Amino acid sequence: MNNNKSLLLFILCLIVFSILASCGKQSVVDTNFGLVIHGGAGTISRDRLSPEQEQNYRAKLEQALRIGYDVLAAGGTSLDAVEEAIVILEDSPLFNAGKGAVFASNGTNELDASIMVGKTLQAGAVSGVKQIKNPIKAARLVMEKSPHVLLYGDGAETFARGHGLEFVDQSYFYTERRWQSLQKARAKEQQTEPDKHGTVGVVALDKHGNLTAGTSTGGLTNKRFGRIGDSPIIGAGNYADNRTCAISATGTGEFFMRTVCGYAISARMEFGDVSLQTAAEDVIHNEIGRLGGTGGVIGIDKSGNMTMVFNTSGMYRGYMMSDGQPVIKIFAD
Ligand code: GLY
C-alpha cells in the first residue's frame, strides 16, 4: 500500500513538473535575440578622428550594447533593453542626445525622443524638452502613462515632472564642442548642420519575439528653435512592428520625415515581401538619397536579421546578437 502511495505521489509530481515546465516555455521562446545601435551618421573618416577619440566611441557603444544584451539574455523585454542602452548614450557627451545635445539657433538645447513596441504598436514621444535628463525615459512614460503619443515642450516637461523623472539645469547640456559647432554654423550664414556625432538609436528583438525601436537626439546644430525633427515622429525616425521590423534613423530629419522612412521600410517588407536589407537600402539610397538627404538607419526584423545602412562616409554603429559577440563599426568598411 505504501509503495502504491509513493508511486502515485511520484506520478503526480511528474505531471505538476511537466505542466510548470511547459508554462515556462510558453512565456520565453528561446529564439534569436539581439540588438543593434547607432550613434549618428555623417562625415566620419579616419583622418578626422584620433585613435583616442575612436577608442572612446568604441568603448561607449560597446557599453551600451552590453547593457542591452544583458537585459535580453536574462529574458527581459526589448523595451527595457532599448531604454537602458539609450540612457547610456544619452548620458555620454560623445553623442548628440541627452548630455551631448547640440544647440539650436537661440543657444538653447531642445531634445526629442521616441520609443515604439512592435507587439502592440504602442508608441510614446517627447519633443522640444529642455530640462529632462533622459528624454527616452519621458518618451516611455508618455507611451505607458498617458493616452497620447507625442507631447511637446512645457506640457511634456510638466507631465514628466509629475512622474518623477530627473530634471537638470540647461547648463548640464553645455559642452564646449557643441557650442563651438553652433558658432561655426552661425558664421556660415545660418546654415543648419547635421552633427556628424549625432542622434542615437537602438532596436532590439527579445526572446519573446518582440521588437522595440528607440531614438533620441538634440536635433540639428543651429536649427530654428521650435523645429521638430524626425526622431520623435513615429513612422519617420522611429518605427516598430512585430510583423516586420524595428527601425531607428539618423541624419537630416526633414528628409526622413518626407519619406516616412521607418514605415516605408516596414511597408516594403509587409506588402512587397522583400528582406529588411533590401527595403532599408532602397529607402536610404533611392528615396532619401534621390532627394539629397543624408544619414542612415539601423534595423532588426522578427527573425533576428539586422541591417545598418547609410549614405554618408561613416556611421557609429554596432550589434550584439544571441552569440554574445559585440561588433562595433564606425567607417564605411
Ligand atoms: N535626425 C535628427 C534630426 O534631424 O533631428
Side-chain angles (χ1 to χ4, degrees):
M1 191 65 178
N2 270 347
N3 277 351
N4 281 349
K5 271 189 182 165
S6 300
L7 186 65
L8 198 62
L9 197 63
F10 178 70
I11 291 170
L12 270 174
C13 284
L14 268 183
I15 292 170
V16 170
F17 181 77
S18 318
I19 291 171
L20 286 177
S22 77
C23 286
K25 271 188 200 137
Q26 272 167 15
S27 65
V28 177
V29 182
D30 201 1
T31 175
N32 283 337
F33 67 93
L35 73 163
V36 191
I37 67 178
H38 72 75
T43 316
I44 305 166
S45 55
R46 285 195 168 80
D47 55 323
R48 288 168 176 246
L49 212 58
S50 72
E52 192 193 348
Q53 286 172 321
E54 182 180 336
Q55 186 44 40
N56 289 343
Y57 279 102
R58 286 185 181 278
K60 193 50 74 176
L61 289 168
E62 183 168 338
Q63 186 190 354
L65 275 178
R66 288 192 182 280
I67 292 279
Y69 178 88
D70 287 350
V71 172
L72 298 174
T77 64
S78 53
L79 176 60
D80 285 340
V82 165
E83 182 187 15
E84 290 188 27
I86 288 185
V87 165
I88 296 293
L89 302 173
E90 284 182 337
D91 287 347
S92 164
L94 294 175
F95 305 99
N96 173 20
K99 169 73 184 148
V102 298
F103 287 91
S105 58
N106 61 350
T108 60
N109 307 95
E110 298 186 345
L111 288 69
D112 300 335
S114 66
I115 201 157
M116 182 169 191
V117 293
K119 183 180 181 184
T120 57
L121 302 188
Q122 282 178 297
V126 292
S127 181
V129 295
K130 296 179 180 171
Q131 289 191 273
I132 297 174
K133 185 176 179 220
N134 292 110
I136 195 68
K137 290 188 180 179
R140 180 171 178 173
L141 273 178
V142 172
M143 178 176 76
E144 292 183 332
K145 307 280 186 207
S146 89
H148 307 301
V149 168
L150 172 59
L151 291 181
Y152 174 75
D154 288 349
E157 296 200 318
T158 303
F159 171 79
R161 206 183 282 279
H163 285 88
L165 272 199
E166 187 175 352
F167 272 60
V168 289
D169 190 85
Q170 269 258 304
S171 60
Y172 167 80
F173 298 111
Y174 182 91
T175 56
E176 185 59 23
R177 184 173 66 145
R178 302 297 190 204
W179 184 250
Q180 290 311 326
S181 296
L182 175 63
Q183 306 319 313
K184 264 198 244 165
R186 279 175 170 166
K188 282 198 255 170
E189 297 175 2
Q190 298 293 316
Q191 273 182 340
T192 56
E193 293 202 339
D195 198 279
K196 62 183 182 238
H197 311 286
T199 300
V200 305
V202 179
V203 294
L205 171 68
D206 63 29
K207 289 184 175 181
H208 314 273
N210 292 320
L211 295 166
T212 299
T215 307
S216 182
T217 190
L220 306 180
T221 298
N222 205 27
K223 66 185 179 183
R224 278 197 76 88
F225 64 95
R227 175 263 190 190
I228 297 172
D230 61 316
S231 303
I233 305 298
I234 299 304
N238 202 60
Y239 193 69
D241 183 340
N242 271 9
R243 292 170 296 186
T244 54
C245 61
I247 297 290
S248 171
T250 170
T252 316
E254 281 69 12
F255 294 94
F256 290 76
M257 293 158 86
R258 289 164 57 199
T259 54
V260 202
C261 171
Y263 181 72
I265 293 171
S266 172
R268 276 165 172 71
M269 294 175 69
E270 186 175 359
F271 306 119
D273 201 24
V274 298
S275 70
L276 171 63
Q277 183 70 23
T278 302
E281 283 177 2
D282 189 25
V283 171
I284 290 297
H285 296 305
N286 298 333
E287 294 297 318
I288 290 174
R290 179 174 62 89
L291 299 177
T294 56
V297 290
I298 53 165
I300 189 165
D301 72 13
K302 57 187 178 179
S303 310
N305 301 303
M306 63 94 196
T307 188
M308 307 185 292
V309 179
F310 50 99
N311 65 5
T312 51
S313 59
M315 179 163 84
Y316 297 101
R317 62 202 189 278
Y319 59 89
M320 195 164 173
M321 311 307 285
S322 344
D323 65 3
Q325 296 301 315
V327 176
I328 313 278
K329 293 179 181 230
I330 298 178
F331 310 109
D333 50 20

